[in-house]
Every structure is written in structure tokens, then in C-alpha cells.
Amino acid sequence: DAGVIQSPRHEVTEMGQEVTLRCKPISGHDYLFWYRQTMMRGLELLIYFNNNVPIDDSGMPEDRFSAKMPNASFSTLKIQPSEPRDSAVYFCASSFSGRTSGNTIYFGEGSWLTVV
Amino acid sequence: SQKIEQNSEALNIQEGKTATLTCNYTNYSPAYLQWYRQDPGRGPVFLLLIRENEKEKRKERLKVTFDTTLKQSLFHITASQPADSATYLCALDSTGGSYIPTFGRGTSLIVHP
């Protein structure tokens, strides 16, 4: 399997623009996560889906952030309008709940977002 | 409130020595604890999982201990190599047995040749 695939890898955008980050999870995984990583706050969970259904979005910082998972092989994280403080690395990750010994998370390589 | 604490200062050691990283937690009752490795510009990669009823787990040069009384896990890399230089993150499930781990901020390890 190719692993979790994210796009774009790097994005530089102007404040106020819409940003859409994309993710293809590992086939067969039933959980999908969106994380944000910054030096100040570390790795934060924004939202996660189980079987394409959003379960917990309490980590989404504000209404400017939204996430969708229209099918098992695709998810998006959208920021509209973007602000400089949104600059961070955004990771998509997936996992399979069938493991009896805990939930190993498989991360993508991240989308590096810079809002100027 | 729940906290996962990892040393924010980088750990510098000489090649060949054993590196020991610490993960402390408060207000958790985790069913398991995981360790991940993150290289610059890359996503975290799973290394090891240890369950609450396990005291120790080994994988090649890696050893993890889990003390639920002390609320602490230690992560050891024996015979360390410069290629082991990375940031190491621990992760706990937020409620016992859940599928949603919460991550610590990680400790940077630098192995000098």
C-alpha cells in the first residue's frame, strides 16, 4: 500500500484565501484523523471520522475550519478564510480498529501551510 | 486536566550509548501507550505499543517500559547511532481502550558520531 497520501505538500497562500487540503487514507482503514502540528502546541487532533462519519470535531479551532469525508478513500480539510495563525503542518492519518492491541496511527507526510 | 509530558530539551548523546527518553502523564488511565518517531519534514511513524498490563516491550534495539503506578514510560535505544537522531513522541489513549491516542510534544534525540 502507498500509505496515507496528502496533497498539496506545500502551500503558500494569502490571508483571506480559501485553502483545501486533501487526503487519501490507507485502503481498509476505518478511522481518519486530521492533526495540526506547530512548535508552540505540538500535535493537535482537529477532527476524526469513523466509517466516513465525523465523530469528534472539538479540536477544530473555529468555524473557519471544516472537514468532509464523502467516501472511504477521500477527505478534505478546508480553511476559509485563512489567517496567518493557521500556518502549520497539517497531517492526515488513518487507522484500523480491528487491531486488538490498540490503535496504530499511520500518518501522511503532511501539508505545510504558510499563510502570508 | 490531562497532561502528557516529554522533555522539551533535546537529548544529546554519543554514538554507541543508550538513549533514554521519558514520558510522564497525569489524569490518564491508559489501556496502552505508543511511541512514534518523527524525522524533520515527515509524519510520525509508529515504533512500539505497550499495554497497561505489560511492564516491558522490546523490538531490536528498542525497549519500552510502562509503570502505571508512576504514570511513566521510558523509551530506550541501545547502541545508539546517528541515524537514530529524530524526535520521539509518546501517545496515550485518552480513555481506557479508546482508539484515539493523544500525543505528547516529543523529545528530540541527537546522536553524535
Tab-separated table of all heavy atoms in Angstrom, chain A residues 9 31 33 35 37 39-41 43 45 48 91 97 101-105 107-109 112, chain B residues 32 34 36 38 40-46 49 51 89 98-105:
chain	number	residue	atom	x	y	z
A	9	ARG	N	1.705	19.145	-0.768
A	9	ARG	CA	2.744	19.026	0.252
A	9	ARG	C	3.097	20.382	0.834
A	9	ARG	O	3.392	20.510	2.010
A	9	ARG	CB	4.008	18.380	-0.318
A	9	ARG	CG	3.926	16.896	-0.558
A	9	ARG	CD	3.693	16.077	0.723
A	9	ARG	NE	4.503	16.464	1.859
A	9	ARG	CZ	5.751	16.064	2.092
A	9	ARG	NH1	6.354	15.281	1.233
A	9	ARG	NH2	6.395	16.457	3.172
A	31	TYR	N	-10.744	4.526	10.395
A	31	TYR	CA	-10.621	5.805	11.084
A	31	TYR	C	-9.754	6.745	10.258
A	31	TYR	O	-8.730	6.332	9.698
A	31	TYR	CB	-9.976	5.634	12.466
A	31	TYR	CG	-10.923	5.176	13.546
A	31	TYR	CD1	-11.242	3.834	13.689
A	31	TYR	CD2	-11.498	6.090	14.428
A	31	TYR	CE1	-12.112	3.414	14.681
A	31	TYR	CE2	-12.363	5.676	15.426
A	31	TYR	CZ	-12.663	4.342	15.551
A	31	TYR	OH	-13.523	3.922	16.524
A	33	PHE	N	-8.034	10.737	10.634
A	33	PHE	CA	-7.760	11.832	11.550
A	33	PHE	C	-7.139	13.004	10.791
A	33	PHE	O	-6.362	12.803	9.860
A	33	PHE	CB	-6.747	11.397	12.622
A	33	PHE	CG	-7.116	10.134	13.357
A	33	PHE	CD1	-6.782	8.893	12.834
A	33	PHE	CD2	-7.773	10.193	14.568
A	33	PHE	CE1	-7.105	7.725	13.508
A	33	PHE	CE2	-8.099	9.031	15.257
A	33	PHE	CZ	-7.767	7.799	14.732
A	35	TYR	N	-4.719	16.152	11.980
A	35	TYR	CA	-3.929	16.753	13.039
A	35	TYR	C	-3.279	18.023	12.515
A	35	TYR	O	-3.022	18.179	11.320
A	35	TYR	CB	-2.797	15.814	13.489
A	35	TYR	CG	-3.211	14.618	14.301
A	35	TYR	CD1	-3.539	13.414	13.682
A	35	TYR	CD2	-3.234	14.667	15.687
A	35	TYR	CE1	-3.890	12.302	14.430
A	35	TYR	CE2	-3.580	13.551	16.443
A	35	TYR	CZ	-3.906	12.381	15.807
A	35	TYR	OH	-4.250	11.278	16.547
A	37	GLN	N	0.198	20.416	13.508
A	37	GLN	CA	1.405	20.440	14.321
A	37	GLN	C	2.089	21.792	14.217
A	37	GLN	O	2.356	22.286	13.116
A	37	GLN	CB	2.391	19.341	13.904
A	37	GLN	CG	3.579	19.188	14.841
A	37	GLN	CD	4.440	17.989	14.489
A	37	GLN	OE1	4.721	17.718	13.331
A	37	GLN	NE2	4.876	17.245	15.506
A	39	MET	N	5.136	24.353	16.514
A	39	MET	CA	6.163	24.334	17.561
A	39	MET	C	5.535	24.651	18.911
A	39	MET	O	5.898	24.053	19.929
A	39	MET	CB	7.257	25.351	17.240
A	39	MET	CG	8.134	24.972	16.080
A	39	MET	SD	9.166	23.553	16.448
A	39	MET	CE	10.250	24.254	17.688
A	40	MET	N	4.593	25.572	18.907
A	40	MET	CA	4.015	26.023	20.175
A	40	MET	C	3.100	24.977	20.812
A	40	MET	O	3.111	24.792	22.030
A	40	MET	CB	3.215	27.311	19.949
A	40	MET	CG	4.063	28.522	19.618
A	40	MET	SD	5.126	28.974	20.999
A	40	MET	CE	3.894	29.517	22.180
A	41	ARG	N	2.319	24.299	20.001
A	41	ARG	CA	1.261	23.457	20.538
A	41	ARG	C	1.447	21.966	20.285
A	41	ARG	O	0.643	21.147	20.745
A	41	ARG	CB	-0.085	23.920	19.985
A	41	ARG	CG	-0.415	25.377	20.324
A	41	ARG	CD	-1.697	25.820	19.638
A	41	ARG	NE	-2.846	25.159	20.201
A	41	ARG	CZ	-3.562	25.620	21.230
A	41	ARG	NH1	-3.226	26.753	21.802
A	41	ARG	NH2	-4.603	24.949	21.669
A	43	LEU	N	1.373	18.387	18.427
A	43	LEU	CA	0.469	17.696	17.518
A	43	LEU	C	-0.934	17.704	18.121
A	43	LEU	O	-1.189	17.084	19.148
A	43	LEU	CB	0.971	16.268	17.333
A	43	LEU	CG	0.459	15.438	16.181
A	43	LEU	CD1	0.798	16.078	14.844
A	43	LEU	CD2	1.055	14.045	16.254
A	45	LEU	N	-5.092	17.092	17.671
A	45	LEU	CA	-6.148	16.454	16.903
A	45	LEU	C	-7.239	17.463	16.603
A	45	LEU	O	-7.788	18.079	17.513
A	45	LEU	CB	-6.731	15.274	17.690
A	45	LEU	CG	-7.882	14.531	17.038
A	45	LEU	CD1	-7.440	13.862	15.738
A	45	LEU	CD2	-8.462	13.488	17.997
A	48	TYR	N	-11.840	13.721	13.835
A	48	TYR	CA	-11.667	12.382	13.311
A	48	TYR	C	-12.992	11.799	12.846
A	48	TYR	O	-14.064	12.191	13.321
A	48	TYR	CB	-10.946	11.460	14.296
A	48	TYR	CG	-11.756	10.965	15.475
A	48	TYR	CD1	-12.469	9.762	15.411
A	48	TYR	CD2	-11.746	11.666	16.670
A	48	TYR	CE1	-13.163	9.296	16.511
A	48	TYR	CE2	-12.448	11.205	17.772
A	48	TYR	CZ	-13.146	10.022	17.692
A	48	TYR	OH	-13.839	9.558	18.779
A	91	PHE	N	-1.463	17.218	9.249
A	91	PHE	CA	-1.291	15.803	8.954
A	91	PHE	C	-2.644	15.120	8.860
A	91	PHE	O	-3.520	15.335	9.703
A	91	PHE	CB	-0.483	15.109	10.052
A	91	PHE	CG	0.976	15.448	10.048
A	91	PHE	CD1	1.509	16.318	10.983
A	91	PHE	CD2	1.824	14.877	9.109
A	91	PHE	CE1	2.858	16.626	10.991
A	91	PHE	CE2	3.175	15.178	9.099
A	91	PHE	CZ	3.688	16.060	10.043
A	97	SER	N	-9.429	-0.181	13.233
A	97	SER	CA	-9.852	-0.504	14.591
A	97	SER	C	-9.841	-1.987	14.884
A	97	SER	O	-10.086	-2.407	15.996
A	97	SER	CB	-11.251	0.048	14.854
A	97	SER	OG	-12.188	-0.569	13.995
A	101	SER	N	-4.851	-4.739	19.890
A	101	SER	CA	-3.865	-4.260	20.845
A	101	SER	C	-3.680	-2.747	20.780
A	101	SER	O	-2.625	-2.230	21.043
A	101	SER	CB	-2.533	-4.947	20.604
A	101	SER	OG	-2.086	-4.711	19.280
A	102	GLY	N	-4.698	-2.042	20.394
A	102	GLY	CA	-4.576	-0.591	20.357
A	102	GLY	C	-4.597	-0.070	18.943
A	102	GLY	O	-4.594	-0.828	17.989
A	103	ASN	N	-4.583	1.196	18.810
A	103	ASN	CA	-4.820	1.808	17.520
A	103	ASN	C	-3.541	2.430	16.979
A	103	ASN	O	-3.153	3.518	17.390
A	103	ASN	CB	-5.900	2.869	17.654
A	103	ASN	CG	-6.503	3.227	16.326
A	103	ASN	OD1	-6.480	2.422	15.412
A	103	ASN	ND2	-7.036	4.420	16.220
A	104	THR	N	-2.873	1.764	16.068
A	104	THR	CA	-1.681	2.324	15.446
A	104	THR	C	-2.117	3.328	14.398
A	104	THR	O	-2.916	3.016	13.523
A	104	THR	CB	-0.848	1.217	14.795
A	104	THR	OG1	-0.421	0.305	15.806
A	104	THR	CG2	0.363	1.817	14.100
A	105	ILE	N	-1.580	4.521	14.504
A	105	ILE	CA	-1.929	5.595	13.584
A	105	ILE	C	-0.875	5.673	12.485
A	105	ILE	O	0.321	5.698	12.768
A	105	ILE	CB	-1.982	6.949	14.322
A	105	ILE	CG1	-2.852	6.860	15.576
A	105	ILE	CG2	-2.493	8.039	13.382
A	105	ILE	CD1	-4.303	6.639	15.315
A	107	PHE	N	0.478	8.001	9.556
A	107	PHE	CA	0.439	9.399	9.145
A	107	PHE	C	0.869	9.572	7.697
A	107	PHE	O	1.717	8.831	7.182
A	107	PHE	CB	1.378	10.239	10.021
A	107	PHE	CG	0.873	10.494	11.403
A	107	PHE	CD1	1.028	9.542	12.396
A	107	PHE	CD2	0.237	11.689	11.713
A	107	PHE	CE1	0.560	9.779	13.687
A	107	PHE	CE2	-0.228	11.934	12.997
A	107	PHE	CZ	-0.073	10.980	13.982
A	108	GLY	N	0.289	10.598	7.070
A	108	GLY	CA	0.814	11.055	5.802
A	108	GLY	C	2.035	11.921	6.031
A	108	GLY	O	2.485	12.110	7.169
A	109	GLU	N	2.587	12.439	4.948
A	109	GLU	CA	3.790	13.252	5.047
A	109	GLU	C	3.497	14.705	5.414
A	109	GLU	O	4.409	15.485	5.625
A	109	GLU	CB	4.575	13.196	3.734
A	109	GLU	CG	5.093	11.799	3.409
A	109	GLU	CD	6.211	11.353	4.331
A	109	GLU	OE1	6.062	11.433	5.573
A	109	GLU	OE2	7.263	10.924	3.827
A	112	TRP	N	2.318	21.385	4.340
A	112	TRP	CA	2.933	22.529	5.007
A	112	TRP	C	2.242	23.786	4.509
A	112	TRP	O	2.405	24.166	3.350
A	112	TRP	CB	4.427	22.560	4.688
A	112	TRP	CG	5.157	21.394	5.255
A	112	TRP	CD1	5.053	20.082	4.892
A	112	TRP	CD2	6.112	21.431	6.308
A	112	TRP	NE1	5.876	19.300	5.652
A	112	TRP	CE2	6.540	20.101	6.529
A	112	TRP	CE3	6.654	22.461	7.087
A	112	TRP	CZ2	7.485	19.777	7.511
A	112	TRP	CZ3	7.600	22.134	8.050
A	112	TRP	CH2	7.999	20.806	8.259
B	32	TYR	N	-3.153	1.599	26.867
B	32	TYR	CA	-1.909	1.350	26.160
B	32	TYR	C	-1.165	2.652	25.955
B	32	TYR	O	-1.728	3.736	26.110
B	32	TYR	CB	-2.158	0.675	24.809
B	32	TYR	CG	-3.017	1.479	23.859
B	32	TYR	CD1	-2.459	2.474	23.067
B	32	TYR	CD2	-4.378	1.237	23.751
B	32	TYR	CE1	-3.249	3.221	22.204
B	32	TYR	CE2	-5.171	1.975	22.902
B	32	TYR	CZ	-4.600	2.962	22.127
B	32	TYR	OH	-5.379	3.701	21.271
B	34	GLN	N	1.904	4.308	23.232
B	34	GLN	CA	2.640	4.102	21.988
B	34	GLN	C	3.817	5.059	21.906
B	34	GLN	O	3.776	6.151	22.478
B	34	GLN	CB	1.728	4.349	20.774
B	34	GLN	CG	0.501	3.476	20.723
B	34	GLN	CD	-0.428	3.871	19.574
B	34	GLN	OE1	-0.349	4.958	19.035
B	34	GLN	NE2	-1.312	2.969	19.209
B	36	TYR	N	6.277	6.885	18.866
B	36	TYR	CA	6.426	7.191	17.447
B	36	TYR	C	7.743	7.934	17.237
B	36	TYR	O	8.214	8.656	18.117
B	36	TYR	CB	5.283	8.076	16.940
B	36	TYR	CG	3.935	7.405	16.855
B	36	TYR	CD1	3.196	7.110	17.995
B	36	TYR	CD2	3.390	7.055	15.620
B	36	TYR	CE1	1.954	6.492	17.911
B	36	TYR	CE2	2.144	6.450	15.522
B	36	TYR	CZ	1.444	6.173	16.673
B	36	TYR	OH	0.216	5.561	16.581
B	38	GLN	N	9.566	10.762	14.645
B	38	GLN	CA	9.293	11.745	13.603
B	38	GLN	C	10.607	12.365	13.132
B	38	GLN	O	11.343	12.944	13.934
B	38	GLN	CB	8.339	12.843	14.093
B	38	GLN	CG	7.930	13.806	12.991
B	38	GLN	CD	6.871	14.799	13.423
B	38	GLN	OE1	6.689	15.064	14.609
B	38	GLN	NE2	6.144	15.359	12.448
B	40	PRO	N	12.555	15.169	10.562
B	40	PRO	CA	12.209	16.508	10.073
B	40	PRO	C	11.505	16.445	8.713
B	40	PRO	O	11.942	15.751	7.803
B	40	PRO	CB	13.576	17.195	9.963
B	40	PRO	CG	14.429	16.495	10.962
B	40	PRO	CD	13.980	15.065	10.943
B	41	GLY	N	10.400	17.151	8.616
B	41	GLY	CA	9.678	17.218	7.359
B	41	GLY	C	8.851	15.983	7.040
B	41	GLY	O	8.336	15.864	5.921
B	42	ARG	N	8.733	15.083	7.994
B	42	ARG	CA	7.985	13.840	7.745
B	42	ARG	C	6.898	13.664	8.802
B	42	ARG	O	6.890	14.324	9.841
B	42	ARG	CB	8.930	12.625	7.813
B	42	ARG	CG	10.199	12.738	6.987
B	42	ARG	CD	9.925	12.753	5.496
B	42	ARG	NE	9.326	11.545	4.998
B	42	ARG	CZ	10.009	10.483	4.601
B	42	ARG	NH1	11.335	10.448	4.692
B	42	ARG	NH2	9.370	9.432	4.119
B	43	GLY	N	5.976	12.765	8.531
B	43	GLY	CA	4.969	12.435	9.515
B	43	GLY	C	5.503	11.451	10.549
B	43	GLY	O	6.469	10.739	10.293
B	44	PRO	N	4.889	11.403	11.726
B	44	PRO	CA	5.320	10.426	12.738
B	44	PRO	C	5.126	8.999	12.234
B	44	PRO	O	4.190	8.712	11.481
B	44	PRO	CB	4.389	10.710	13.919
B	44	PRO	CG	3.927	12.126	13.715
B	44	PRO	CD	3.843	12.298	12.238
B	45	VAL	N	6.019	8.118	12.679
B	45	VAL	CA	5.975	6.717	12.302
B	45	VAL	C	5.914	5.869	13.570
B	45	VAL	O	6.722	6.051	14.485
B	45	VAL	CB	7.205	6.327	11.458
B	45	VAL	CG1	7.214	4.825	11.178
B	45	VAL	CG2	7.233	7.111	10.153
B	46	PHE	N	4.965	4.952	13.618
B	46	PHE	CA	4.782	4.092	14.783
B	46	PHE	C	5.995	3.194	15.000
B	46	PHE	O	6.542	2.627	14.048
B	46	PHE	CB	3.532	3.228	14.573
B	46	PHE	CG	3.355	2.152	15.609
B	46	PHE	CD1	2.869	2.453	16.865
B	46	PHE	CD2	3.671	0.835	15.319
B	46	PHE	CE1	2.697	1.465	17.825
B	46	PHE	CE2	3.509	-0.168	16.260
B	46	PHE	CZ	3.015	0.154	17.515
B	49	LEU	N	4.133	-0.386	20.776
B	49	LEU	CA	2.975	-0.221	21.649
B	49	LEU	C	3.159	-1.111	22.861
B	49	LEU	O	3.607	-2.254	22.735
B	49	LEU	CB	1.697	-0.594	20.904
B	49	LEU	CG	0.379	-0.516	21.685
B	49	LEU	CD1	-0.758	-0.119	20.752
B	49	LEU	CD2	0.037	-1.838	22.379
B	51	ARG	N	1.011	-2.347	26.450
B	51	ARG	CA	-0.282	-2.304	27.113
B	51	ARG	C	-0.129	-2.116	28.611
B	51	ARG	O	0.932	-2.336	29.186
B	51	ARG	CB	-1.055	-3.598	26.826
B	51	ARG	CG	-1.649	-3.628	25.447
B	51	ARG	CD	-2.270	-4.964	25.145
B	51	ARG	NE	-1.271	-5.919	24.710
B	51	ARG	CZ	-1.552	-7.102	24.196
B	51	ARG	NH1	-2.803	-7.478	24.081
B	51	ARG	NH2	-0.593	-7.910	23.817
B	89	LEU	N	7.897	10.745	19.964
B	89	LEU	CA	6.653	11.143	20.610
B	89	LEU	C	6.006	9.950	21.291
B	89	LEU	O	5.998	8.846	20.730
B	89	LEU	CB	5.653	11.707	19.596
B	89	LEU	CG	6.042	12.955	18.797
B	89	LEU	CD1	6.702	12.561	17.489
B	89	LEU	CD2	4.821	13.805	18.511
B	98	SER	N	-9.784	3.315	24.182
B	98	SER	CA	-10.320	4.027	23.016
B	98	SER	C	-9.343	3.913	21.858
B	98	SER	O	-8.193	3.528	22.016
B	98	SER	CB	-10.555	5.498	23.337
B	98	SER	OG	-9.351	6.222	23.219
B	99	TYR	N	-9.785	4.249	20.704
B	99	TYR	CA	-8.934	4.182	19.516
B	99	TYR	C	-8.291	5.516	19.195
B	99	TYR	O	-7.697	5.677	18.151
B	99	TYR	CB	-9.766	3.720	18.319
B	99	TYR	CG	-10.163	2.272	18.410
B	99	TYR	CD1	-11.499	1.907	18.531
B	99	TYR	CD2	-9.207	1.272	18.406
B	99	TYR	CE1	-11.858	0.583	18.631
B	99	TYR	CE2	-9.556	-0.051	18.510
B	99	TYR	CZ	-10.879	-0.397	18.611
B	99	TYR	OH	-11.235	-1.716	18.712
B	100	ILE	N	-8.404	6.472	20.086
B	100	ILE	CA	-7.958	7.816	19.764
B	100	ILE	C	-6.807	8.227	20.676
B	100	ILE	O	-7.023	8.695	21.788
B	100	ILE	CB	-9.118	8.812	19.929
B	100	ILE	CG1	-10.389	8.261	19.281
B	100	ILE	CG2	-8.729	10.163	19.360
B	100	ILE	CD1	-10.227	7.882	17.819
B	101	PRO	N	-5.570	8.025	20.243
B	101	PRO	CA	-4.444	8.421	21.091
B	101	PRO	C	-4.243	9.926	21.086
B	101	PRO	O	-4.509	10.604	20.095
B	101	PRO	CB	-3.251	7.705	20.450
B	101	PRO	CG	-3.659	7.379	19.072
B	101	PRO	CD	-5.150	7.340	19.029
B	102	THR	N	-3.761	10.419	22.210
B	102	THR	CA	-3.334	11.815	22.345
B	102	THR	C	-1.825	11.817	22.443
B	102	THR	O	-1.239	11.014	23.167
B	102	THR	CB	-3.936	12.449	23.607
B	102	THR	OG1	-5.361	12.371	23.524
B	102	THR	CG2	-3.522	13.907	23.728
B	103	PHE	N	-1.197	12.741	21.724
B	103	PHE	CA	0.255	12.753	21.603
B	103	PHE	C	0.913	13.757	22.540
B	103	PHE	O	0.391	14.863	22.763
B	103	PHE	CB	0.662	13.091	20.163
B	103	PHE	CG	0.433	11.977	19.203
B	103	PHE	CD1	-0.828	11.734	18.689
B	103	PHE	CD2	1.479	11.147	18.830
B	103	PHE	CE1	-1.049	10.681	17.809
B	103	PHE	CE2	1.279	10.094	17.951
B	103	PHE	CZ	0.007	9.864	17.442
B	104	GLY	N	2.072	13.371	23.057
B	104	GLY	CA	2.940	14.320	23.709
B	104	GLY	C	3.646	15.163	22.667
B	104	GLY	O	3.518	14.922	21.461
B	105	ARG	N	4.399	16.158	23.123
B	105	ARG	CA	5.031	17.068	22.190
B	105	ARG	C	6.354	16.554	21.656
B	105	ARG	O	6.924	17.129	20.737
B	105	ARG	CB	5.193	18.435	22.832
B	105	ARG	CG	3.858	19.066	23.171
B	105	ARG	CD	4.010	20.452	23.691
B	105	ARG	NE	4.652	21.316	22.699
B	105	ARG	CZ	4.850	22.601	22.888
B	105	ARG	NH1	4.459	23.186	23.990
B	105	ARG	NH2	5.443	23.334	21.963
